[in-house]
Amino acid sequence: MPMQPQERIAQLKKERNAVILAHNYQLPEVQDVADFVGDSLGLAMQASKTEADVIVFCGVDFMAQSAKVLNPDKTVLHPDVNARCPMAAMCDPSGIRMLKKDFPRAEVVTYVNTSAECKAESDICCTSSNAVKVVNSLESDLIIFTPDENLANYVQRSTDKDVLPWPGYCPTHDAISLEKIQKLKDKYPDAAVVVHPECRPEVIDNADAVRSTEGMLNFVRESPKTEFIIGTEKEMLHRLHKEFPDRQFYAVPGAVCPTMKLITLNNIITSLELMGPEITLSPEIMAKARAPLERMMAVGRGD
Ligand code: 13P
Ligand code: SF4
């Protein structure tokens, strides 16, 4: 009988002393072979403490890059180089340098959904879990916030500081309209609505809770409700169903991040066999990007 992909992955993991890290938006079968599944903050923290020689990163480019920045001496494999975050591609380091010149007293907070080069220009990074906590931890009362305008607007409502947003957005979350949420609410009137802070302001204003993907699991765990409308990428429902089999979850139609789906069991196998594609970054960029990432992790979770 031919070997199942899951068995082959287990075999290769042992041979290579590899760990598999997967984001909550990965395909269900990829989540199921991972050693750790989580949000961007959890994955960065996990990457920073692994003892494996090889990290197979099942997520998009910026997440795999952060794992490399935190582990410059380890091999970080990214099974499909085309798995890129379009929001991360909307930001560039020269633009951040110009803003720093225009607003010299501002501190730069860069959402992890950016290239290592953008992180290298920043004072501190944040994730959707701790964006408010990170901004409020800073000295300056003026914050340059890149690259998600929706997240920047969300942060602005929870801080006395002035937040200058970069005009980027996540196409997947920006397409989660109030109309789509309202249709689900009409169908499931008892459901709580929990949305990601990358959603549009009017969606956030009408939600019961705003959470990172990992924070959504914490919210459900603590909620007396049994039904939930989930305002984020559809694969989040895989972990929710797995951890809370007695509760009901409803996805927003069309909420799909296509590049997250490029990682498959087959390309995980190929990457472990060939030890590539590998994430490579210049030592200078890694050294400059590490400090803002470590500063972010020291702030810890916000949800
Ligand atoms: P989380 O850190 O909440 O998992 O979000 C990452 C992301 O890319 C959301 O679109
Ligand atoms: Fe990027 Fe949006 Fe996909 Fe998250 S869901 S990885 S922000 S495109």
Side-chain angles (χ1 to χ4, degrees):
M1 220 173 54
M3 195 183 264
Q4 291 297 308
Q6 290 82 353
E7 286 175 75
R8 179 68 181 136
I9 289 171
Q11 193 181 53
L12 284 161
K13 256 177 52 179
K14 223 181 201 171
E15 277 173 29
R16 302 292 194 196
N17 187 25
V19 67
I20 300 182
L21 305 183
H23 186 262
N24 288 320
Y25 299 161
Q26 287 291 290
L27 291 168
E29 63 271 25
V30 171
Q31 295 191 31
D32 292 345
V33 296
D35 298 285
F36 178 84
V37 183
D39 68 350
S40 311
L41 186 60
L43 289 164
M45 285 172 164
Q46 204 65 29
S48 69
K49 63 182 187 208
T50 182
E51 296 198 340
D53 297 319
V54 177
I55 297 172
V56 183
F57 207 101
C58 304
V60 286
D61 53 353
F62 73 83
M63 300 175 176
Q65 282 192 353
S66 294
K68 180 68 184 176
V69 166
L70 296 166
N71 292 281
D73 301 328
K74 291 190 197 290
T75 301
V76 177
L77 301 174
H78 190 210
D80 189 327
V81 291
N82 295 312
R84 300 197 193 100
C85 168
M87 172 159 56
M90 292 176 192
C91 194
D92 65 277
S94 61
I96 300 179
R97 280 193 292 271
M98 273 164 60
L99 281 171
K100 288 203 288 192
K101 243 190 200 162
D102 289 347
F103 302 97
R105 73 181 168 87
E107 285 181 275
V108 180
V109 178
T110 287
Y111 190 32
V112 284
N113 297 40
T114 42
S115 65
E117 287 77 5
C118 288
K119 291 183 176 78
E121 292 295 336
S122 309
D123 293 298
I124 187 166
C125 291
C126 72
T127 74
S128 59
S129 167
N130 64 8
V132 172
K133 207 172 161 190
V134 162
V135 166
N136 284 332
S137 75
L138 299 174
E139 288 281 310
S140 178
D141 57 2
L142 184 62
I143 306 295
I144 295 167
F145 193 100
T146 75
D148 186 4
E149 193 167 2
N150 287 336
L151 182 60
N153 287 335
Y154 172 65
V155 170
Q156 181 63 88
R157 293 190 242 156
S158 307
T159 184
D160 294 334
K161 299 177 193 288
D162 286 324
V163 179
L164 301 171
W166 180 282
Y169 66 97
C170 161
T172 305
H173 286 87
D174 210 60
I176 295 177
S177 63
L178 192 53
E179 199 189 344
K180 286 181 183 175
I181 298 274
Q182 193 53 54
K183 271 193 184 153
L184 287 167
K185 274 172 85 168
D186 292 345
K187 208 165 163 193
Y188 309 108
D190 293 333
V193 179
V194 51
V195 305
H196 197 274
E198 287 175 13
C199 289
R200 288 164 167 265
E202 67 273 19
V203 171
I204 287 179
D205 284 344
N206 285 283
D208 297 301
V210 183
R211 297 285 189 277
S212 69
T213 58
E214 200 63 29
M216 288 183 182
L217 287 134
N218 299 334
F219 175 77
V220 170
R221 195 169 292 120
E222 285 159 19
S223 171
K225 294 267 189 178
T226 56
E227 292 181 278
F228 301 87
I229 293 164
I230 302 298
T232 193
E233 213 271 348
K234 75 176 179 86
E235 235 68 78
M236 189 62 218
L237 272 74
H238 179 63
R239 255 195 91 194
L240 287 163
H241 282 306
K242 233 172 139 171
E243 295 201 18
F244 306 102
D246 300 335
R247 311 224 192 165
Q248 303 300 314
F249 301 102
Y250 308 113
V252 179
V256 180
C257 175
T259 53
M260 279 276 181
K261 313 304 167 199
L262 295 175
I263 313 290
T264 62
L265 294 184
N266 281 341
N267 59 30
I268 293 173
I269 292 174
T270 311
S271 72
L272 278 164
E273 283 174 344
L274 304 178
M275 290 297 280
E278 191 186 337
I279 299 285
T280 53
L281 293 164
S282 82
E284 295 75 34
I285 289 295
M286 284 198 278
K288 281 174 87 179
R290 196 170 314 131
L293 274 172
E294 285 179 345
R295 226 180 138 193
M296 165 191 87
M297 290 194 292
V299 170
R301 290 207 75 84
D303 63 355

